[in-house]
Amino acid sequence: MTGTIRRVSAKSARPRPCSIANALSVIGERWSLLALREVFHGVRRFDQIAANTGASRDVLATRLRKLVDCGVLAKEQYQARPPRYDYTLTDAGRALQPVLLNLMDWGDRYVTEGEPPTVWQHECGAVLRPRTVCGACGEPLRPGGSRPVRIGGAAVPEGPGAGG
């Protein structure tokens, strides 16, 4: 039969190797991101994280455990009976600040109606407007201003229509 599309079963599908997918496997769930938001705001204790996120205690406990197990947060006991813990950012967790700030900026511009609910100030004194810049030249990233050179471990050829 011509024109028949062969379906790939979920069992035999091999997704493209991808750092975005790898990162999402660690932090890509709503309650994980909201818990990280709270820790960035200085909230360290489970009860306050739960109250500020609206997450159920069992879901939040699971997400925090995963963030600790993956090295994004550290868990430090501050009370023995009953056991109570503070959650703090590791180096890997602190490295997520630009990601969360850019996600917040996107939400402010495209989803949130009215004034942004949270505003950050840069150390220069201005209201923070996060932007991604090239680490080599310092120029801001703009739509169409970059192209992949490797996707899923395979080189992408140059030229019109390449890689797409």
Side-chain angles (χ1 to χ4, degrees):
M1 254 175 126
T2 38
T4 303
I5 297 173
R6 184 178 145 253
R7 291 181 175 247
V8 178
S9 74
K11 289 181 181 177
S12 66
R14 291 187 190 194
R16 179 192 325 253
C18 174
S19 295
I20 295 171
N22 296 342
L24 289 174
S25 73
V26 175
I27 62 161
E29 198 278 329
R30 173 189 176 127
W31 303 118
S32 297
L33 289 169
L34 293 178
L36 286 169
R37 174 200 68 191
E38 291 306 310
V39 178
F40 272 109
H41 288 316
V43 177
R44 306 278 188 258
R45 301 206 169 154
F46 182 90
D47 288 342
Q48 272 308 117
I49 296 171
N52 293 347
T53 62
S56 68
R57 295 177 70 79
D58 59 329
V59 168
L60 182 60
T62 300
R63 299 311 180 267
L64 289 171
R65 188 176 312 111
K66 183 173 186 175
L67 292 170
V68 169
D69 290 347
C70 292
V72 176
L73 293 177
K75 181 175 161 180
E76 300 167 12
Q77 189 169 14
Y78 68 87
Q79 178 179 311
R81 292 181 191 212
R84 300 271 189 248
Y85 300 90
D86 279 338
Y87 292 89
T88 57
L89 295 162
T90 62
D91 288 341
R94 283 186 291 279
L96 288 167
Q97 186 177 31
V99 175
L100 291 176
L101 289 172
N102 275 288
L103 184 60
M104 180 189 75
D105 183 60
W106 183 87
D108 291 344
R109 290 189 288 145
Y110 298 107
V111 182
T112 302
E113 293 184 22
E115 291 294 313
T118 303
V119 177
W120 287 71
Q121 182 180 39
H122 189 264
E123 62 190 348
C124 72
V127 170
L128 180 65
R129 302 276 184 242
R131 297 294 176 259
T132 302
V133 300
C134 174
C137 70
E139 289 294 313
L141 180 66
R142 58 181 175 74
S146 62
R147 70 171 193 83
V149 294
R150 185 175 59 233
I151 298 176
V156 176
E158 289 190 50

